[in-house]
Amino acid sequence: MFEIRTDPQITTGQTGDVVTVTDIREIHGFPDPVSDDAPTGRGLTVAVMDSGVDETHEVFDGIAVEHHNFTDAPDEPLDDVGHGTAVAGLIAQLSPGIEKIVDLRIFGTSGRGTSKPIFDAYEWAQTHADELDTINLSWGARSQNPEIDREHSKLMNTGVQDVVSAGNTGETSGSPVTANDAYGIGAITEEKELTRFSSYNPGIVENPDVVALGKDVRLPRASNTSMGTILNEDYVKASGTSFSAPIATAAMNLFIEQRERASERPFERTAKDIPGTPRDVYGYIRYDHAVELRDTEVKVDVFDLPFTNYEGVALPEEWVDSPTHAVLERETAQETIVRFER
């Protein structure tokens, strides 16, 4: 069984403090959107694999929404649950220059579903990868599923930048965040403390990679839905790593515009640590620090490894004492391009 990653114990209740888009920008170092030269994710296409997107909400004004319904539910209403609209709406608010949202609907009338719509959505995304820049997945299985992880890795190998919610079950989590190198996002409070529910899986893969605000977040409300605590006709308050993931997706959209490529490594290397806990892994996202980090460009020597059909890469001497990370940029029958970062 696959389900949307919200925490039912805390997504409803008395209305208290609400984390706004302004709060998110301040804590995570997003640029001032009123600045003429501020990045907004201009021209990018973002896929949201979720419960649908109600494009009638005001936050989607000026953004095209393309719908693909892989469930047995009717196409209308566009989002029976409200979760996908909340996720996509937060991305739209934080990266308002994106050109298109591709709605890959895998949950119908509830927040739970089977694997077939998920496999179908992955197949569509893999086939249309050249049309996508980022993809947000704020859902997961209750445990690791090798088939889903393989599909997720296949999608990542196409060059689409993934962002996956870490889960809300403490020291357990499930696919697709358990896929190798999946970019998993945990949740913190406005006080910059890790939430009690944010998943942490040191024994499976490095999950999460970074964390972002995910408690009491003000979110766009799909028509006639009641997810979370209703604030008014257009907005709700809800919690979960489901809503920290779209913050990371929006940050990646801005990064792609400014740096003309996608990579989670700058966000990991510049994240702010939360003292006293290893469960934040690298820490919480600071967009301003990540975009200021410049790559080190060096030449490397390639040589044939004796008695094998493989080649080796000789790194410069100054890299010996530094951690390195190899990023597969492109792989074809004719060539393999790998970028080394440290």
Side-chain angles (χ1 to χ4, degrees):
M1 179 66 69
F2 299 86
E3 57 191 2
I4 286 168
R5 282 179 170 151
T6 54
D7 187 336
Q9 298 184 54
I10 58 174
T11 52
T12 59
Q14 295 297 317
T15 299
D17 293 337
V18 178
V19 173
T20 67
V21 168
T22 299
D23 297 326
I24 293 169
R25 287 194 178 108
E26 180 179 351
I27 288 177
H28 291 297
F30 278 59
D32 185 349
V34 302
S35 173
D36 290 338
D37 59 351
T40 60
R42 291 178 182 87
L44 301 185
T45 297
V46 183
V48 176
M49 195 184 295
D50 214 290
S51 67
V53 177
D54 182 358
E55 64 185 274
T56 65
H57 198 285
E58 61 182 1
V59 297
F60 302 113
D61 288 350
I63 299 174
V65 180
E66 177 180 311
H67 301 281
H68 298 276
N69 184 3
F70 300 100
T71 75
D72 293 331
D75 292 340
E76 299 284 346
L78 295 166
D79 184 0
D80 286 296
V81 182
H83 189 271
T85 299
V87 168
L90 191 54
I91 294 171
Q93 288 175 289
L94 291 169
S95 51
I98 58 176
E99 181 174 329
K100 181 190 291 186
I101 292 173
V102 178
D103 165 25
L104 303 178
R105 188 177 179 187
I106 58 173
F107 298 103
T109 57
S110 72
R112 295 183 178 182
T114 59
S115 59
K116 186 179 186 308
I118 294 171
F119 284 118
D120 290 345
Y122 268 119
E123 182 179 1
W124 188 96
Q126 292 162 14
T127 303
H128 296 81
D130 59 340
E131 304 169 20
L132 307 177
D133 295 292
T134 56
I135 184 168
N136 190 99
L137 306 97
S138 286
W139 55 272
R142 297 179 182 178
S143 59
Q144 188 169 20
N145 181 300
E147 290 79 15
I148 291 293
D149 284 356
R150 278 196 291 270
E151 290 302 307
H152 189 79
S153 295
K154 284 168 61 178
L155 177 60
M156 292 169 61
N157 287 338
T158 66
V160 178
Q161 175 63 53
D162 70 317
V163 181
V164 189
S165 58
N168 304 315
T169 50
E171 293 192 9
T172 60
S173 191
S175 304
V177 78
T178 51
N180 287 333
D181 294 326
Y183 186 33
I185 315 298
I188 58 170
T189 68
E190 192 173 6
E191 292 73 35
K192 302 173 187 174
E193 298 174 349
L194 201 72
T195 65
R196 64 166 179 80
F197 56 80
S198 188
S199 290
Y200 172 65
N201 303 84
I204 301 177
V205 294
E206 189 173 72
N207 177 41
D209 293 283
V210 292
V211 294
L213 284 164
K215 190 173 188 301
D216 298 327
V217 183
R218 182 178 183 265
L219 300 160
R221 178 189 177 194
S223 300
N224 302 313
T225 59
S226 57
M227 183 199 71
T229 301
I230 296 175
L231 300 176
N232 54 44
E233 185 177 348
D234 296 318
Y235 290 90
V236 298
K237 179 187 78 170
S239 301
T241 59
S242 282
F243 310 120
S244 50
I247 294 172
T249 299
M252 189 65 70
N253 293 337
L254 305 190
F255 184 87
I256 292 172
E257 180 185 338
Q258 287 204 278
R259 299 290 294 276
E260 298 183 348
R261 66 178 179 85
S263 175
E264 63 264 31
R265 287 296 292 167
F267 291 99
E268 295 170 348
R269 291 166 60 190
T270 61
K272 296 286 288 183
D273 181 53
I274 302 173
T277 175
R279 298 179 64 179
D280 65 328
V281 187
Y282 289 102
Y284 65 88
I285 288 173
R286 286 290 304 192
Y287 173 80
D288 50 350
H289 296 170
V291 78
E292 290 168 1
L293 184 68
R294 307 309 302 180
D295 295 333
T296 302
E297 296 185 1
V298 294
K299 293 183 178 180
V300 298
D301 295 322
V302 179
F303 58 92
D304 292 329
L305 290 173
F307 313 112
T308 74
N309 293 323
Y310 299 98
E311 294 180 324
V313 177
L315 295 174
E317 183 178 354
E318 61 266 27
W319 284 60
V320 172
D321 296 324
S322 300
T324 61
H325 179 76
V327 179
L328 180 63
E329 294 249 320
R330 184 170 69 252
E331 185 174 22
T332 68
Q334 290 75 36
E335 63 178 357
T336 299
I337 298 178
V338 177
R339 184 178 73 255
F340 287 90
E341 297 180 344
R342 62 168 180 168

